[in-house]
Amino acid sequence: MNTPIATLVRRYFSAYETQDRQVLEDLLDDSFTFSSPLDDRISRAAYFARCWPNSRTLRRFTVEKIFEQGGEAFIRYEAESTTGKKFRNTEWWRLEGGKLVEVQVYFGRDTRPAMPVPTRSSAARMADWPATAALFPR
């Protein structure tokens, strides 16, 4: 896919791979906000303070899917850290005037090959997550 959004997506992740902050500075609108399970609509300045330092620990991004409609896109990617840890995330992007104005990140799972897990009953697994278990009384 070679659309303006797909090109912007690849430039964004490439900036992390090459640690080229200026590329990212050029892609983000002044009104940019970033949200994740750890961040709630932080500003552009807070994003660079909190998130950009991670560029030192990330080696590669492999964009797997891009779904776009109008000025919005969902992106699924696999990232690899400098230690070899791999994980998959999904991001929702909103663009205006060719600039990225909002990103919402949804954390995925570690994608390294799974280690064998001993079989446990569903009740035992639910005991590991008491808040979730409370939503599904038996």
Side-chain angles (χ1 to χ4, degrees), residues 34-43 46-47 50-51 54 85 87 89 103-108:
F34 178 86
S35 299
S36 77
L38 304 175
D39 308 284
D40 186 19
R41 296 186 52 81
I42 62 174
S43 69
Y47 169 80
R50 289 183 69 163
C51 303
N54 292 325
K85 179 182 178 184
F87 60 92
N89 284 349
V103 169
Q104 295 178 18
V105 176
Y106 301 92
F107 294 161

Side-chain angles (χ1 to χ4, degrees), residues 35-109:
S35 299
S36 77
L38 304 175
D39 308 284
D40 186 19
R41 296 186 52 81
I42 62 174
S43 69
R44 176 188 163 109
Y47 169 80
F48 278 111
R50 289 183 69 163
C51 303
W52 179 250
N54 292 325
S55 68
R56 292 188 301 268
T57 65
L58 295 166
R59 175 182 303 140
R60 179 178 13 254
F61 288 85
T62 303
V63 175
E64 298 174 335
K65 297 281 184 186
I66 301 173
F67 299 98
E68 46 181 282
Q69 181 176 352
E72 299 179 357
F74 270 102
I75 301 100
R76 185 180 74 194
Y77 60 87
E78 182 180 68
E80 181 179 353
S81 74
T82 54
T83 63
K85 179 182 178 184
K86 293 182 178 184
F87 60 92
R88 181 174 287 120
N89 284 349
T90 299
E91 300 191 3
W92 174 79
W93 288 18
R94 185 169 57 87
L95 298 99
E96 291 179 5
K99 296 264 190 171
L100 191 51
V101 295
E102 184 177 3
V103 169
Q104 295 178 18
V105 176
Y106 301 92
F107 294 161
R109 66 174 188 85

Side-chain angles (χ1 to χ4, degrees), residues 6 12 14 18-19 23-24 29-30 36 45 47 49 69 72 80-81 85-86 91 98 104 110 112 119 121 124 126 136:
Y12 176 93
S14 177
T18 60
Q19 297 181 30
V23 168
L24 215 51
D29 190 76
D30 290 340
S36 77
Y47 169 80
Q69 181 176 352
E72 299 179 357
E80 181 179 353
S81 74
K85 179 182 178 184
K86 293 182 178 184
E91 300 191 3
Q104 295 178 18
D110 184 332
R112 291 175 294 183
T119 304
S121 71
M126 287 300 273
F136 303 99

